[in-house]
Amino acid sequence: MLRNTRGQNLDQKLEKLLAEMLTQGFENAPISRTSVQELLRLKSRSTLVGRRGEKIDAARAAQLKASGSYDDGKRRRLLLEDQNEILKKKVEELQNARDHYVEQLLTIVQQLQSKGVNIEESLVVLRPNRP
């Protein structure tokens, strides 16, 4: 017979669930006490009060802020501009990482060519329009 989740085990599951829901975003997994209760398969919300309730509320606020909304559901221009700046930084980081990996690939290809390996035959499978 399965026992209900309690104590520290419940706290760990709650934290893991909230982290997953935060990464999925507000559109895919909105955080509320009811949704957390259902996902944890709890029979009563009475176990989601106090510290656990505060964790859920904080996660909900963070999720709403990340989605560009506040608790009242309205979007704020300043928040959207902040999100835009964050996304611009992420794009720049990803472009730098891409450039770094392309440089590494080119170095590998040059080293293989200097050893006499025919790269064209090896990479033909990667071409989108193979003859």
Side-chain angles (χ1 to χ4, degrees), residues 40-55:
L40 290 175
R41 294 186 178 105
L42 299 173
K43 294 179 182 177
S44 170
R45 273 192 284 170
S46 64
T47 56
L48 299 178
V49 296
R51 288 181 297 113
R52 294 179 186 137
E54 291 171 4
K55 285 182 185 179

Side-chain angles (χ1 to χ4, degrees), residues 37-100:
Q37 173 193 354
E38 291 171 359
L39 291 171
L40 290 175
R41 294 186 178 105
L42 299 173
K43 294 179 182 177
S44 170
R45 273 192 284 170
S46 64
T47 56
L48 299 178
V49 296
R51 288 181 297 113
R52 294 179 186 137
E54 291 171 4
K55 285 182 185 179
I56 294 169
D57 293 340
R60 181 176 185 273
Q63 190 182 54
L64 284 172
K65 185 176 181 183
S67 73
S69 298
Y70 282 94
D71 285 335
D72 59 4
K74 296 181 180 176
R75 293 184 177 264
R76 304 287 196 271
R77 180 173 178 84
L78 181 62
L79 186 60
L80 293 175
E81 289 173 353
D82 290 344
Q83 277 188 318
N84 197 15
E85 289 300 317
I86 291 169
L87 291 173
K88 284 180 182 179
K89 288 178 186 176
K90 283 184 182 180
V91 166
E92 187 176 323
E93 289 173 7
L94 291 172
Q95 287 174 341
N96 290 337
R98 179 202 58 202
D99 293 343
H100 175 72

Side-chain angles (χ1 to χ4, degrees), residues 9-45:
N9 191 15
L10 178 61
D11 290 339
Q12 291 171 352
K13 286 186 177 185
L14 176 65
E15 288 177 16
K16 182 179 176 183
L17 177 65
L18 291 175
E20 288 175 9
M21 293 175 83
L22 278 172
T23 57
Q24 292 175 1
F26 182 74
E27 293 78 20
N28 296 327
I31 296 175
S32 69
R33 290 187 188 204
T34 304
S35 64
V36 170
Q37 173 193 354
E38 291 171 359
L39 291 171
L40 290 175
R41 294 186 178 105
L42 299 173
K43 294 179 182 177
S44 170
R45 273 192 284 170

